[in-house]
């Protein structure tokens, strides 16, 4: 069960998905079309939502039923309450959240009438997130550690090494695209990338940008998400392909985060990778029919209903 309402819990309380990452306040502008360089577009309105890839993924995992811990940083400003609202509402353990003397991370997001988005992020407090916020005891073999690239790469590398040494399962969403040492990537249990991130990584590795080629170059399981085209994963056991669910998108912001969080919640409860990917695809399909990122993540019952 999700640790609802608790200010903190110890590793012995059964934390099963541990997310180290960013927490932002998202300012979402509804626009008729995405602005081109040098062009001002008058929008239909602006709303504030909790966001940040790490926080989004933690909310998605918690709402899908995983007992979830989030470690990251926010500032001492009003945006901190916005950034953590969905985490608190979902019952995510925030005992490893630090308040620091930097502004809370903030994202400016334009969303057009087709649901496409254009995003700029000021990391702020996220740049101070540290692996030391998470003690070794929290990195148990029963824990799925979920990471992204909106906190310092050096701290991610440290946490990957520590988590692997303790026997935890480590999943990295290489988003936004950033450079980690190849030995860090090779230590993962699963790497998740979208098509753009896959292309950037493939260019660096000198290989194809498909899941099979990336797995061959890195030696670890790789999942590539492709929006309406579904997702493909390559593992030591072979290739897994999962189609997307057909929906009319309202806002695609956070769809990939929803996919990753629900995937890890599924893996945590013992689902095989193909079933966890299908569940993640269903949850992401629901999320894109709603505005916002963390606030759009579906409850487990909603995902169950779509799968059923």
């Amino acid at each position: 069960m999700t640790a609802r309402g608790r200010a903190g819990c110890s590793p012995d309380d059964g934390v099963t998905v541990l997310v180290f990452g960013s927490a932002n306040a998202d300012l979402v502008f509804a626009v008729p079309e995405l602005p081109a360089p040098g062009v001002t577009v008058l929008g239909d309105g602006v709303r504030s939502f909790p966001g940040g890839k790490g926080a989004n993924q933690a909310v998605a995992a918690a709402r899908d039923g995983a007992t979830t811990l989030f470690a990251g940083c926010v500032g001492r400003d009003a945006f901190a309450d916005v950034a953590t609202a969905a985490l608190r509402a979902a019952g995510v353990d925030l005992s490893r959240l630090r308040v620091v003397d930097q502004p809370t991370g903030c994202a400016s997001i334009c969303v057009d009438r087709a649901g496409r988005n254009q995003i700029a992020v000021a990391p702020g407090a996220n740049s101070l997130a540290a692996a030391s916020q998470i003690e070794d005891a929290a990195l148990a073999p029963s824990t799925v550690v979920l990471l992204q690239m909106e906190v310092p790469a050096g701290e991610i590398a440290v946490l990957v090494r520590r988590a692997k040494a303790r026997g935890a399962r480590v999943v990295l969403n290489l988003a936004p695209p950033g450079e980690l040492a190849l030995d860090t990537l090779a230590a993962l249990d699963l790497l998740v990338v979208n098509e753009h991130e896959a292309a950037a990584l493939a260019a660096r590795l000198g290989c194809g940008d498909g899941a099979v080629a990336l797995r061959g170059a890195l030696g670890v399981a790789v999942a590539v998400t492709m929006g309406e085209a579904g997702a493909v994963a390559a593992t030591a056991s072979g290739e897994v392909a999962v189609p997307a669910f057909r929906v009319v998108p309202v806002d695609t912001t956070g769809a990939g985060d929803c996919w990753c969080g629900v995937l890890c919640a599924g893996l945590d409860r013992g689902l095989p990778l193909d079933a966890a990917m299908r569940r993640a695809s269903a949850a992401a399909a629901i999320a894109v029919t709603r505005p916002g990122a963390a606030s759009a993540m579906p409850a487990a019952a909603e995902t169950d209903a779509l799968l059923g």
Side-chain angles (χ1 to χ4, degrees), residues 46-95:
V46 61
R47 298 175 67 185
S48 63
F49 294 96
K53 297 193 74 63
N56 293 344
Q57 293 178 5
V59 170
R63 287 184 61 79
D64 199 53
T67 302
T68 306
L69 181 151
F70 174 77
C73 293
V74 294
R76 305 179 190 278
D77 50 34
F79 278 147
D81 290 336
V82 176
T84 57
L87 289 163
R88 297 182 190 281
V92 174
D93 176 7
L94 298 180
S95 58

Side-chain angles (χ1 to χ4, degrees), residues 264-305:
C264 287
L267 294 175
D268 169 69
R269 66 168 64 94
L271 293 181
L273 181 60
D274 59 344
M277 288 172 61
R278 180 168 170 77
R279 185 170 186 85
S281 295
I286 297 170
V288 300
T289 65
R290 302 167 175 172
S295 56
M297 305 303 172
E302 296 175 285
T303 303
D304 290 340

